[in-house]
Amino acid sequence: MAAPLHSPPIHSAAVIDGLEDLHALSHALAPHPDAPDSPVTTFDVVRALSTCPSVKSSLELQGMTSPTFEAIEAWLLSRGTVDKAQLASLAPSERRAALLMFHQVERSHCPVDVDEESECVRRTVMYKAAKLLLQAQMLMPKNNWVQQQLAIARVSVLLHSWLRREPYEGVDTHPYPRLQLDVSVSAHSGEGVIRPGSLVRVEMLLIREHAIQPEDSHAKTEDRAALEAYWNYLEGVKPPGTPNSLLAAQPLVVTNPSQKALPAEVTFIAPPAPGTYALRVHIMSASVAGVELEQDVEFAVV
């Protein structure tokens, strides 16, 4: 009889570590019951990342010299990137992880020099944090948390922009995104009205005003396209006292630099009671920090 199949131990360990990290991240970012739709800050996400076991272990097994951390901390405090009260709320290993992540985001301006060993620690922490954020963007929408998901997307693009910054410095063939968003809501059946309990269709068209003509390209199409992608989040806006919900999270990928528009569609079941309901569409760049669009739209159930 054939022996039972087992996954290699290293794979099992990696899966367990990943689940523990996601659990820690979710626990740290869970919305407060009294203010479930309060904005989540960059520091909130960085602090949550610093509590994840794989990130903390990178700093417990390897060390950076205290003078290096003291110099980084002093510089970040002088810029107002963090404040003493925020850092004081963290355990020592969490504090170091947070300092590294904030330092990396502003690394091009930082005068602090680190030795080779410290650089290895920094890269390890950054890799694990960036990988965890990518996993969270795919798995955490199941929680239906809106502000947490938006904050994770913002911090993810900050870290990933740094990870790929050096190979593309000086490249002028990637125009800065200029976007417009069109949103419409209709009955999925094609009727002129939306009935209680029926399917609702939300159609979104992300227009790329910066799309280029193919003959203007200096780089390979596949290289350019790989650098531009977006997240499309659909938020259900609820009455005061009821948490808003994340109805959809969709990646939108540019497959050609001359592509004029990215279409997207989301369907969901209409509320059971007649009335006017609100939605909010969030478009967030996955490749350029700070590029976001937001549009509110209402629909009537009759």
Side-chain angles (χ1 to χ4, degrees):
M1 184 174 66
L5 297 176
H6 296 285
S7 299
I10 188 170
H11 290 175
S12 300
V15 170
I16 292 173
D17 288 345
L19 292 176
E20 289 180 346
D21 283 340
L22 286 171
H23 175 76
L25 188 67
S26 296
H27 177 75
L29 289 177
H32 193 283
D34 296 334
D37 294 312
S38 295
V40 178
T41 67
T42 298
F43 181 81
D44 292 333
V45 177
V46 169
R47 176 175 54 192
L49 286 169
S50 71
T51 67
C52 296
S54 70
V55 175
K56 289 198 295 185
S57 66
S58 301
L59 289 160
E60 291 168 350
L61 298 177
Q62 307 176 63
M64 291 176 71
T65 61
S66 293
T68 298
F69 273 104
E70 290 172 0
I72 292 174
E73 180 175 331
W75 182 77
L76 290 172
L77 288 171
S78 70
R79 288 178 62 87
T81 304
V82 294
D83 60 50
K84 290 185 177 181
Q86 290 175 326
L87 295 178
S89 67
L90 303 175
S93 61
E94 297 170 359
R95 183 181 184 128
R96 291 189 170 195
L99 287 172
L100 285 179
M101 283 182 267
F102 277 115
H103 172 254
Q104 293 294 6
V105 171
E106 301 197 43
R107 186 182 179 190
S108 61
H109 306 291
C110 183
V112 179
D113 293 324
V114 296
D115 56 37
E116 184 176 346
E117 180 182 357
S118 299
E119 178 66 16
C120 290
V121 177
R122 174 166 54 192
R123 289 185 178 275
T124 299
V125 169
M126 287 295 295
Y127 171 77
K128 290 184 176 181
K131 179 181 178 181
L132 179 55
L133 286 174
L134 283 179
Q135 294 172 331
Q137 286 181 90
M138 300 301 297
L139 298 176
M140 283 189 66
K142 296 179 181 179
N143 292 329
N144 291 330
W145 299 338
V146 178
Q147 294 301 323
Q148 287 73 11
Q149 195 68 31
L150 297 178
I152 285 173
R154 291 187 184 105
V155 176
S156 181
V157 70
L158 280 174
L159 297 192
H160 282 86
S161 293
W162 171 80
L163 287 175
R164 62 165 174 255
R165 182 180 300 157
E166 291 184 4
Y168 298 101
E169 280 185 352
V171 176
D172 60 358
T173 55
H174 306 283
Y176 191 84
R178 291 181 290 108
L179 307 170
Q180 284 192 1
L181 178 63
D182 290 337
V183 182
S184 63
V185 184
S186 61
H188 189 270
S189 64
E191 287 188 71
V193 295
I194 299 173
R195 305 293 183 185
S198 65
L199 274 181
V200 179
R201 176 192 289 120
V202 182
E203 295 176 287
M204 291 145 285
L205 189 66
L206 182 61
I207 302 169
R208 300 177 65 244
E209 295 185 340
H210 60 289
I212 66 167
Q213 297 300 320
E215 59 269 20
D216 294 334
S217 176
H218 302 298
K220 293 181 180 179
T221 297
E222 58 268 25
D223 291 339
R224 295 174 58 93
L227 289 179
E228 188 172 344
Y230 301 90
W231 277 101
N232 171 36
Y233 298 112
L234 181 61
E235 176 182 5
V237 181
K238 305 297 180 64
T242 303
N244 293 351
S245 60
L246 186 65
L247 300 178
Q250 297 177 327
L252 304 176
V253 180
V254 176
T255 57
N256 190 301
S258 61
Q259 190 171 350
K260 294 288 187 181
L262 296 170
E265 181 177 311
V266 174
T267 58
F268 62 91
I269 298 176
T276 300
Y277 297 88
L279 301 171
R280 182 170 295 134
V281 179
H282 303 268
I283 299 292
M284 307 186 72
S285 174
S287 46
V288 181
V291 175
E292 300 182 24
L293 289 179
E294 181 181 298
Q295 185 168 323
D296 291 346
V297 62
E298 293 185 341
F299 66 97
V301 176
V302 296

